[in-house]
Amino acid sequence: MVHLVVCKDCDGDGKAEILVSFEAPRIAIFKWNGSGYAIQYDHTWNGGDPVIEGIDVGDTDGDGIPNVVAGAGVTHILQWNGTTYVEKATLPTYGEMAVECIGDCDNDGKNEINAGNVYVDTNGQPYMEWIFKYEPGT
């Protein structure tokens, strides 16, 4: 089951790709090839939580290259390396993520990642919202 579709430039070529999240802990990125959309990337995080609406695209570390964020329990940060998307980092979130937004939350000229869950495990984990800021060297 598809949960969310985002249309943004995921690979830094100036053209928007289509990013799709699924009930499974899975995302797929589709790229226009001149005559149709082909799968550029398709990944499932085995053992992860459903991605729901938890996807976005933006420069999260100030290097001028877009990152894809996907919440599948933990928040995965992916970046295009010219051939495929590689995982650059994971952030310590949990639950089914309904929020993964990239933007300048504190108006300092640098993007942050705002993440929030909508469903949590039944072991007493609270509903949470996180804001993550990239700090070089940490």
Side-chain angles (χ1 to χ4, degrees):
M1 172 190 300
V2 171
H3 276 285
L4 184 68
V5 176
V6 173
C7 186
K8 293 186 176 182
D9 182 9
C10 299
D11 61 10
D13 69 354
K15 299 175 185 174
E17 286 75 42
I18 297 174
L19 175 61
V20 182
S21 70
F22 295 89
E23 175 73 22
R26 174 182 170 217
I27 65 167
I29 300 173
F30 297 87
K31 184 170 190 68
W32 182 254
N33 65 15
S35 61
Y37 283 94
I39 294 176
Q40 183 182 39
Y41 182 76
D42 190 343
H43 186 78
T44 300
W45 288 280
N46 294 322
D49 288 315
V51 178
I52 309 182
E53 294 95 3
I55 55 174
D56 201 6
V57 179
D59 183 6
T60 62
D61 56 7
D63 65 359
I65 302 169
N67 301 103
V68 173
V69 295
V74 297
T75 295
H76 300 271
I77 302 174
L78 310 171
Q79 190 173 65
W80 181 250
N81 71 2
T83 304
T84 190
Y85 290 86
V86 295
E87 190 161 288
K88 302 296 280 184
T90 58
L91 300 174
T93 55
Y94 59 82
E96 296 182 22
M97 306 302 290
V99 177
E100 289 285 352
C101 296
I102 299 170
D104 186 4
C105 300
D106 59 5
N107 297 307
D108 68 349
K110 300 175 186 175
N111 286 334
E112 290 79 40
I113 299 170
N114 181 336
N117 58 33
V118 66
Y119 297 111
V120 294
D121 293 332
T122 57
N123 63 3
Q125 292 176 314
Y127 292 102
M128 291 289 295
E129 179 180 14
W130 298 266
I131 296 177
F132 295 98
K133 180 183 221 47
Y134 176 75
E135 296 291 338
T138 59

